[in-house]
């Protein structure tokens, strides 16, 4: 919303009836927030927007127009984080048109109504800015949540001094592999571990793509001086690997996590013996 509205009638109405207009705007907008914001929170938010809109309409103040867009963007990002829908967010802006129209009709002044038409179109533009900003913010929220879920679903645990375990559950795609690799390498730097066990017991199927992802992770760990073992090679997975002609080369593979841990302990020179019950 840049440039003042042609004429002076509407700017005067916005200024002289500010209290009534703001109160009605808050009332209309409150119907769309469904109790997720208090009346005071909504009033504070819309009061700031009203002041910027009033300045922009009256004088075409470019600074005010920039501040208005920034305030709308912040409102959209906040609403996205709070779980509002894009239509609910935009409706809060569009509700101003209804509040102003009621005052324009009450005035009975045709000159004010003519200026309102242009004002209405500009409020529509503001609503569009709000909608677009909301969508971008919501996409970012979803991306952040997905990244957090990936990190939570890819723990790297210490199994023994110098031995890390990476239990993999679910599908291993490119994005997941990247998270696994980064998390593992960070832990290797922190702990200086010489061995890492990638346990795929929870991976439903292993195909050529999954095997490639595993190999990339192993190669990255090797560059850090860490030897990797792949555990969880069930009979059906072993058959699939053979049928697909997948080669793990000199990478050690074990049927269970226990077997893999025993192997790495042996490679570390650690002997673990069972103590007979007295």
């Amino acid at each position: 919303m840049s440039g003042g509205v042609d004429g002076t009638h509407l700017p005067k109405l916005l200024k002289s009836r500010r209290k009534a207009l703001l109160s009605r705007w808050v009332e209309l907008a409150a119907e769309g927030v469904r109790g997720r914001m208090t009346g005071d929170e909504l009033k504070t938010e819309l009061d700031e927007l009203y002041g910027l809109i009033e300045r922009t309409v009256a004088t075409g103040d470019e600074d005010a127009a920039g501040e208005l867009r920034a305030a709308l963007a912040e409102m959209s990002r906040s609403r996205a984080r709070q779980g509002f829908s894009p239509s609910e967010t935009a409706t809060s802006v569009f509700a101003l048109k209804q509040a102003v129209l009621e005052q324009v009709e009450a005035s009975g002044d045709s000159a004010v109504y003519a200026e309102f038409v242009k004002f209405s179109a500009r409020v529509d533009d503001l609503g569009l800015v709000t909608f677009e900003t909301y969508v971008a913010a919501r996409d970012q929220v979803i991306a952040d949540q997905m990244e957090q879920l990936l990190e939570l679903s890819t723990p790297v645990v210490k199994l023994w001094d110098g031995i890390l375990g990476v239990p993999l559950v679910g599908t291993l795609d490119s994005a997941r592999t990247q998270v696994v690799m980064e998390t593992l390498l960070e832990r290797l730097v922190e702990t200086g571990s010489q061995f890492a066990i990638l346990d795929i017991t929870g991976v439903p199927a292993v195909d050529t793509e999954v095997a490639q992802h595993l190999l990339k992770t192993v190669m990255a760990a090797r560059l850090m001086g860490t030897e990797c073992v792949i555990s969880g090679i069930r009979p059906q997975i072993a058959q699939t690997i053979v049928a697909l002609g997948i080669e793990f080369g000199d990478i050690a593979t074990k049927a269970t996590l226990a077997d893999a841990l025993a192997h790495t302990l042996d490679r570390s020179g650690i002997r673990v013996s069972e103590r007979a019950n007295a």
Side-chain angles (χ1 to χ4, degrees):
M1 180 180 286
S2 59
V5 172
D6 294 337
T8 59
H9 297 82
L10 186 59
K12 289 180 179 178
L13 182 144
L14 292 176
K15 183 176 182 179
S16 64
R17 303 188 185 181
R18 187 182 200 281
K19 185 176 181 180
L21 278 168
L22 181 58
S23 177
R24 180 57 173 155
W25 188 13
V26 171
E27 180 184 358
L28 291 169
E31 297 175 4
V33 300
R34 300 177 183 177
R36 284 171 286 180
M37 294 180 67
T38 66
D40 289 340
E41 289 173 335
L42 185 60
K43 183 177 180 181
T44 299
E45 183 179 74
L46 298 186
D47 183 52
E48 179 187 4
L49 293 178
Y50 190 96
L52 293 170
I53 289 172
E54 186 180 353
R55 282 171 56 192
T56 306
V57 169
T59 65
D61 187 336
E62 290 296 334
D63 289 338
E67 291 176 32
L68 176 57
R69 287 190 293 271
L72 285 171
E74 180 54 37
M75 183 188 81
S76 299
R77 286 189 286 268
S78 175
R79 296 288 180 89
R81 290 191 292 267
Q82 291 173 317
F84 286 88
S85 70
S87 59
E88 287 172 336
T89 303
T91 297
S92 293
V93 177
F94 293 140
L96 176 61
K97 292 201 301 182
Q98 177 64 31
V100 174
L101 179 59
E102 291 173 359
Q103 291 292 332
V104 170
E105 291 177 338
S107 72
D109 189 336
S110 59
V112 179
Y113 187 82
E115 293 176 13
F116 171 77
V117 173
K118 185 175 181 180
F119 172 80
S120 177
R122 292 183 175 180
V123 172
D124 287 341
D125 290 339
L126 294 179
L128 182 59
V129 169
T130 303
F131 188 91
E132 291 176 342
T133 306
Y134 172 95
V135 171
R138 190 61 181 166
D139 287 345
Q140 186 59 51
V141 168
I142 293 173
D144 291 343
Q145 290 174 340
M146 289 181 65
E147 183 175 350
Q148 291 168 4
L149 286 173
L150 281 173
E151 291 174 352
L152 288 173
S153 65
T154 313
V156 176
V157 296
K158 182 178 180 180
L159 300 178
W160 206 279
D161 287 339
I163 303 173
L164 297 180
V166 187
L168 300 174
V169 179
T171 304
L172 191 62
D173 56 16
S174 297
R176 180 91 182 280
T177 301
Q178 188 64 30
V179 173
V180 171
M181 192 181 301
E182 291 176 357
T183 305
L184 176 58
L185 295 182
E186 287 174 3
R187 290 284 285 150
L188 289 176
V189 171
E190 293 171 4
T191 64
S193 298
Q194 295 178 315
F195 298 92
I197 300 173
L198 304 179
D199 184 66
I200 62 172
T201 302
V203 177
V206 174
D207 55 18
T208 304
E209 183 178 5
V210 170
Q212 289 299 320
H213 292 321
L214 287 171
L215 290 173
K216 287 179 181 178
T217 303
V218 171
M219 291 302 106
R222 279 186 171 180
L223 290 174
M224 299 287 293
T226 300
E227 180 182 333
C228 290
V229 179
I230 299 176
S231 66
I233 306 295
R234 306 183 298 279
Q236 59 269 36
I237 287 183
Q239 292 175 8
T240 301
I241 290 174
V242 171
L244 293 175
I246 298 172
E247 295 286 346
F248 282 123
D250 60 348
I251 301 171
T253 58
K254 298 295 178 181
T256 67
L257 178 59
D259 292 338
L261 181 57
H263 172 79
T264 53
L265 288 173
D266 183 63
R267 293 277 295 164
S268 301
I270 300 173
R271 297 290 182 268
V272 180
S273 61
E274 294 183 1
R275 177 177 298 176
N277 293 328

